[in-house]
Amino acid sequence: MKEKLRLLLRKPAVIALLIAELLVIGFALAAALRPAAAYTFTADQWENIAQESEIGYDEDGRIGVTEMTDGEDILQTPSMTLPKGHYKVTLDYRYVPSVWEGGVERRSCVYFASYDAGTVTGEKPCVNVKKQQDTLTLNVSDYSETVRLVAHNDGGIFTLGPVHIEQDMLYAGACVAGWLLLFVLLDAFLLLTVPGSPVRLADAELCACLWVLCAVAVLTCAPAMTNSGALQGADWSFHLSRIEGIAQGLREGQFPVRVYSIAKDGYGYAPSLFYGELLLYFPAVLRLLGMSVQGAYHTYLLALQLLTAGIAFFSLRQIFRHNKTALVGSVLYMLSTYHLYKIYWLSAVGEYTAMAFLPLIPAALYELYGERPLTRKRLRRACAELVVAFGMLLQVHLLSLEMAILATAVFCLMRFRRTFSNAVFFTWLKAAVLTVLLNLWFLVPFLTLMLSGDYNNMYTGNAENGGQIVKNSGLRIAELFGWQKNHNNLGPELLAGGFVLLWCWLTLRAKEEPQQPERRSIRLGLWAAGFAALACWMSTNTFPWQAVGRIPVVGRILVAIQFPGRYLSLATVLLVLAAMCGLAALRQVGYARPVAVLLVGVSFFGAALFFRDQQADAAYLGDGGQLMYSEYKKFNMGWYFDGLYLPDGASETQNGYESTAQVTTVEVTSVEQENGVTTLACTETSGQDQHAELPLLYYPGYTVTEGPGTAFKTVNGLVGVTVPANYSGTIRVAFREPKRWLLADGVSVLTALVLVAAAVRRRRTGKGKANAK
């Protein structure tokens, strides 16, 4: 082994690769060790570039626009020499915004400009109206000696004092660790797959498939590798704001993060209590290390597509026990039109993340319901796959979980004899118990809020009209199989795969003595095609959703799907499986290769059409500040998000939340918010216990951390505190997990540790038995 490794290290290609890696790490290390670039400019050093506005000094010595005026660039700093990297810009300012029609406040911003093309990213983070000092993040793409900081007045009074610009060296250090980790993983992959490696996998065909899978995953992410790529979809601002909200929660010491304290202009918002986001902790940690929120999102997207390709290949290989069949199916799945539609046209992070784990379900079902004998190893594998699949669906997208449970339940009832056999039934029971225990840390808060009846906005309409609303949102049959520009359809590759299975069924079944493998493949394909047809029907406006909505309890849950087109994610998985069943049947009669080439060719053609139609111009949005006001021309609340998870009673307006009922009965001196803590300064003079209402949306967990009194939910859906009689001073309120939630956290952690210990023990026992032999 050592001699083979020594010989491998002498090959020119290996030497060149190692030199390249060392050079990259060396340059990254040099950038991390050099002194941080830093500049400070005083108010009188700002340069006047206004064309229409009159520039002057305010009473505090700041320079800028001192009277209400229209928007334009007003000031810039002298030129700076800035290397590539991330920069923290600390501003001292005063901003009194004017308003758009309808009363929506404007938002002023600062940004980097340069005479050298391509050296700055173009993000324009807005300053916080509630503060007079703010720290914003800006990025430089390449070294430049002509960078200036420009102040843009969007409308109103905007004056600036000293500004400090400093390079974020934490990110530079993280880059060194990131490159090192990347090269370790790359080298490990090469050692496992390249010819001549002493530890290369024995299956050469498998090695080639892994290379193709990586290439397809990178191709899937190709549009995201451009500036602002993958951020044109309808939901991009919501999901990038989730990443920013999780990162901020981690900074404040929340773990797990339950409430985004800086969301909704400081009122706080808690999608985390209703919407699993376990995998988003990965880009959030990258954000904490200094990476831009867009860079963190793109890294997440690439990592997830690699994971999706791996899971799809693993699942199909387990079913068909054939590398090339699994590879063709993985390519069809990765480049399927609906998969790309969710990534780029909608930026539906939860849904396309769920699609990474959906293929595990048919793989597990094949282990439990296939024709091969049930063994302890197969039962254990099926249980593990079910726990991972349903557990991760719970953590990334509840509606995908709902669809998967519904489809699986129908299948299990149709195969009820096998389902209720001892081995299969107890495997399902074990998988269900483990899934619940591992995810109890999320389920307890989620069920607490859902069963309270205080958060009902996530449902579509009421029991009477919810189903009709869903039906009206369904696709038309022509859209399902059409070529509309947004590609919200099944795509040509899946239709071609369906025809392959149909041809096999019509021709191969006519043989007098069909071979057993052909019969099994066609039977499995027909099961998959049948369920895919049902999923397609449920995605259209011809499905009787209005009748479903009238079903007591269950109907209300099912119509929470909002858009029935989501069922195409199930249809995509099932049609890929059906196509591969047809390909597996053809493999027995010798026609598989040309059909596989045809399917892959159509898949690449469909992806090319999608990428052509998807390309769109988009501004590069910055971190924090600009995300907060990305839709400020419509809504004046930081991170508008949505209204799904608001407490009942909360009245959302363009400029905050209205208190329709009077709650505050004490004299309030000030209310300040910093790092997730709200500080109330007040005085009670009536001699009786009174109340004060805070600018915080109420979620269970808000508590008084300093001072007297208790927190409660007001009739306005906000946080209120009791103020004792004759009290004068400060009361601090922050979010702290209730004890029962902490207990659930502990149960989930303990369950994970027990499973890890059991796996390690089983592995050691297996090695011991092997050595004994």
Side-chain angles (χ1 to χ4, degrees):
M1 175 69 74
K2 291 183 179 179
E3 183 62 27
K4 289 182 179 180
L5 187 59
R6 196 178 298 113
L7 291 174
L8 183 65
L9 292 174
R10 292 176 182 174
K11 291 185 177 182
V14 175
I15 294 173
L17 175 64
L18 292 176
I19 291 175
E21 291 178 352
L22 289 173
L23 285 174
V24 171
I25 294 176
F27 282 121
L29 187 60
L33 294 177
R34 69 175 171 228
Y39 290 86
T40 299
F41 300 104
T42 58
D44 58 356
Q45 290 179 292
W46 285 96
E47 300 174 1
N48 182 359
I49 58 172
Q51 300 294 316
E52 304 292 337
S53 306
E54 182 176 344
I55 302 299
Y57 289 88
D58 63 16
E59 60 273 15
D60 296 319
R62 303 186 185 97
I63 189 173
V65 176
T66 57
E67 297 181 1
M68 287 288 180
T69 185
D70 293 331
E72 65 171 331
D73 292 342
I74 57 173
L75 300 168
Q76 68 178 16
T77 65
S79 293
M80 297 174 285
T81 299
L82 298 180
K84 177 181 179 179
H86 296 266
Y87 291 83
K88 292 184 177 180
V89 179
T90 302
L91 292 166
D92 179 73
Y93 60 91
R94 176 176 179 244
Y95 183 46
V96 181
S98 58
V99 297
W100 297 90
E101 293 183 7
V104 180
E105 293 178 346
R106 296 174 182 260
R107 286 293 183 270
S108 287
C109 63
V110 296
Y111 62 93
F112 276 155
S114 173
Y115 294 123
D116 301 323
T119 56
V120 295
T121 55
E123 73 264 44
K124 299 180 178 181
C126 304
V127 298
N128 192 330
V129 179
K130 295 182 177 181
K131 297 181 179 180
Q132 294 193 17
Q133 189 177 73
D134 202 0
T135 298
L136 309 172
T137 303
L138 290 171
N139 303 281
V140 175
S141 299
D142 202 359
Y143 175 88
S144 176
E145 298 178 351
T146 64
V147 179
R148 295 173 181 266
L149 182 69
V150 179
H152 175 82
N153 178 28
D154 197 44
I157 297 172
F158 189 31
T159 56
L160 296 107
V163 56
H164 181 68
I165 303 161
E166 185 172 9
Q167 187 177 5
D168 182 4
M169 300 310 293
L170 173 64
Y171 174 70
C175 284
V176 178
W179 282 116
L180 184 61
L181 177 61
L182 176 63
F183 290 146
V184 168
L185 294 175
L186 175 62
D187 292 344
F189 178 75
L190 292 174
L191 286 172
L192 290 173
T193 57
V194 298
S197 170
V199 293
R200 188 194 186 201
L201 297 174
D203 190 342
E205 186 178 82
L206 175 60
C207 295
C209 290
L210 293 177
W211 276 96
V212 175
L213 284 175
C214 290
V216 172
V218 172
L219 175 62
T220 305
C221 299
M225 296 178 184
T226 62
N227 193 32
S228 294
L231 296 178
Q232 296 95 348
D235 295 338
W236 68 267
S237 59
F238 171 69
H239 294 298
L240 263 67
S241 296
R242 291 172 67 202
I243 295 172
E244 190 74 19
I246 295 170
Q248 180 62 26
L250 293 174
R251 289 190 191 99
E252 296 167 356
Q254 285 193 64
F255 186 78
V257 176
R258 304 294 193 184
V259 176
Y260 309 155
S261 64
I262 52 177
K264 292 208 177 266
D265 220 14
Y267 278 83
Y269 196 43
S272 301
L273 296 175
F274 302 87
Y275 197 112
E277 50 192 24
L278 178 63
L279 293 186
L280 289 184
Y281 280 77
F282 168 58
V285 170
L286 296 180
R287 185 75 185 91
L288 289 177
L289 295 175
M291 184 177 285
S292 69
V293 68
Q294 292 184 118
Y297 174 76
H298 287 154
T299 304
Y300 170 80
L301 177 60
L302 178 58
L304 183 70
Q305 295 317 302
L306 289 169
L307 180 65
T308 304
I311 290 178
F313 181 78
F314 168 84
S315 302
L316 292 172
R317 187 169 181 259
Q318 179 178 308
I319 294 172
F320 297 104
R321 291 177 286 180
H322 191 259
N323 290 328
K324 292 180 180 178
T325 301
L327 177 64
V328 173
S330 300
V331 172
L332 261 64
Y333 189 60
M334 292 293 295
L335 300 182
S336 62
T337 300
Y338 191 73
H339 184 221
L340 297 176
Y341 168 76
K342 284 298 178 182
I343 294 174
Y344 294 107
W345 216 281
L346 290 186
S347 298
V349 172
E351 291 181 70
Y352 73 68
T353 302
M355 291 185 74
F357 300 97
L358 284 176
L360 282 173
I361 298 177
L365 294 179
Y366 187 76
E367 291 293 298
L368 294 176
Y369 295 88
E371 298 182 7
R372 285 182 285 177
L374 287 175
T375 63
R376 183 175 297 179
K377 181 178 180 181
R378 292 184 62 202
L379 291 173
R380 191 183 302 124
R381 178 191 299 163
C383 180
E385 290 170 347
L386 291 172
V387 170
V388 171
F390 286 105
M392 292 311 301
L393 290 178
L394 175 65
Q395 289 295 338
V396 300
H397 196 243
L398 283 172
L399 294 178
S400 293
L401 173 67
E402 175 188 304
M403 294 185 293
I405 290 177
L406 179 62
T408 305
V410 172
F411 175 83
C412 291
L413 290 175
M414 294 179 70
R415 299 291 304 274
F416 70 93
R417 289 184 179 177
R418 175 65 73 91
T419 300
F420 290 102
S421 64
N422 287 339
V424 174
F425 178 77
F426 281 108
T427 299
W428 275 112
L429 183 62
K430 180 181 177 182
V433 170
L434 287 176
T435 301
V436 170
L437 291 178
L438 286 171
N439 296 280
L440 204 63
W441 67 274
F442 170 76
L443 286 171
V444 168
F446 172 73
L447 294 175
T448 298
L449 271 67
M450 291 302 297
L451 296 177
S452 70
D454 295 333
Y455 303 86
N456 293 311
N457 295 315
M458 64 185 300
Y459 290 110
T460 304
N462 53 42
E464 287 72 30
N465 67 6
Q468 188 62 49
I469 294 174
V470 172
K471 180 180 175 66
N472 294 339
S473 301
L475 298 172
R476 298 190 300 272
I477 297 294
E479 291 177 323
L480 186 64
F481 299 102
W483 292 82
Q484 62 268 34
K485 187 176 180 181
N486 68 358
H487 296 269
N488 183 16
N489 52 50
L490 291 175
E493 65 287 337
L494 298 185
L495 295 178
F499 281 117
V500 169
L501 177 68
L502 178 63
W503 184 78
C504 291
W505 180 54
L506 294 176
T507 58
L508 298 184
R509 72 167 187 164
K511 296 178 63 176
E512 294 181 2
E513 296 182 359
Q515 299 178 29
Q516 189 69 17
E518 296 173 28
R519 196 182 327 169
R520 287 201 302 263
S521 297
I522 293 175
R523 186 185 302 123
L524 176 61
L526 292 176
W527 271 100
F531 275 88
L534 177 60
C536 289
W537 182 34
M538 295 179 73
S539 71
T540 69
N541 57 11
T542 63
F543 189 78
W545 282 106
Q546 70 277 24
V548 172
R550 289 193 290 267
I551 301 174
V553 183
V554 175
R556 185 173 179 128
I557 295 174
L558 292 178
V559 299
I561 191 71
Q562 297 175 309
F563 305 105
R566 287 177 165 139
Y567 275 94
L568 290 185
S569 59
L570 283 182
T572 298
V573 176
L574 293 167
L575 285 174
V576 168
L577 179 59
M580 292 308 98
C581 287
L583 196 64
L586 288 176
R587 204 171 68 241
Q588 308 300 322
V589 295
Y591 298 109
R593 183 170 297 178
V595 172
V597 172
L598 173 65
L599 290 176
V600 171
V602 173
S603 186
F604 276 93
F605 177 71
L609 289 178
F610 181 91
F611 290 156
R612 180 200 65 182
D613 294 338
Q614 184 270 338
Q615 293 299 317
D617 294 331
Y620 187 104
L621 293 184
D623 303 323
Q626 192 168 0
L627 273 175
M628 288 175 66
Y629 304 107
S630 60
E631 298 186 72
Y632 72 92
K633 292 184 180 180
K634 298 179 181 178
F635 309 102
N636 183 34
M637 290 172 296
W639 296 351
Y640 177 68
F641 286 93
D642 52 39
L644 292 179
Y645 313 116
L646 295 178
D648 289 349
S651 178
E652 192 172 57
T653 71
Q654 290 180 328
N655 292 306
Y657 293 87
E658 290 182 336
S659 293
T660 55
Q662 181 66 31
V663 175
T664 301
T665 54
V666 297
E667 179 183 341
V668 176
T669 305
S670 65
V671 177
E672 298 179 355
Q673 294 176 311
E674 190 72 29
N675 294 324
V677 178
T678 300
T679 302
L680 167 72
C682 62
T683 301
E684 202 294 307
T685 58
S686 69
Q688 298 180 353
D689 290 353
Q690 300 294 331
H691 308 97
E693 190 173 57
L694 303 178
L696 294 171
L697 291 171
Y698 180 83
Y699 300 97
Y702 277 109
T703 184
V704 175
T705 59
E706 184 178 324
T710 56
F712 63 94
K713 178 186 175 183
T714 72
V715 294
N716 301 311
L718 303 179
V719 174
V721 293
T722 58
V723 180
N726 302 315
Y727 177 78
S728 179
T730 60
I731 299 174
R732 288 185 170 85
V733 175
F735 182 86
R736 299 289 185 267
E737 282 205 31
K739 292 181 179 179
R740 61 184 181 278
W741 295 10
L742 292 173
L743 178 61
D745 297 345
V747 171
S748 294
V749 172
L750 181 61
T751 304
L753 292 176
V754 170
L755 289 176
V756 171
V760 171
R761 182 180 179 183
R762 187 180 300 115
R763 185 171 182 179
R764 288 179 178 176
T765 302
K767 286 185 177 181
K769 290 181 179 180
N771 293 332
K773 293 179 181 180

